[in-house]
Amino acid sequence: MLIIGGITVNEVLLSTLFFTCETCGNHAGHQLTKHSRKFSLFFIPIFTVGSQYLDTCTACGRVLEVSKDQAEAAASQAGPDLR
């Protein structure tokens, strides 16, 4: 019997924020994304294994993990709810 299973990653853009990056010093866009890892069986997502929120600077590519509370607060200040 062949069982096909694995982990898939789903990326959702929550918001784009504009502020000065502490790494490169440029005033640039920062993409706030949610990455969800899901266990799939026969290519059907069954349950979520974990998720993380990332802030990516579009100027230098710096990626910083932020907490769920920080991500939701920043996304709600940026505009309409995109979740």
Side-chain angles (χ1 to χ4, degrees), residues 1-63:
M1 176 184 257
L2 178 65
I3 297 177
I4 299 175
I7 302 289
T8 59
V9 177
N10 184 25
E11 179 179 341
V12 176
L13 177 64
L14 298 177
S15 181
T16 301
L17 309 167
F18 291 90
F19 58 90
T20 302
C21 178
E22 63 274 0
T23 302
C24 66
N26 291 320
H27 186 75
H30 289 251
Q31 293 182 336
L32 183 61
T33 56
K34 178 181 179 182
H35 291 233
S36 299
R37 291 177 307 280
K38 297 185 179 189
F39 176 75
S40 299
L41 187 61
F42 295 106
F43 307 106
I44 299 171
I46 305 297
F47 58 89
T48 301
V49 177
S51 60
Q52 66 183 150
Y53 296 86
L54 301 175
D55 168 29
T56 306
C57 177
T58 58
C60 67
R62 186 264 306 139
V63 178

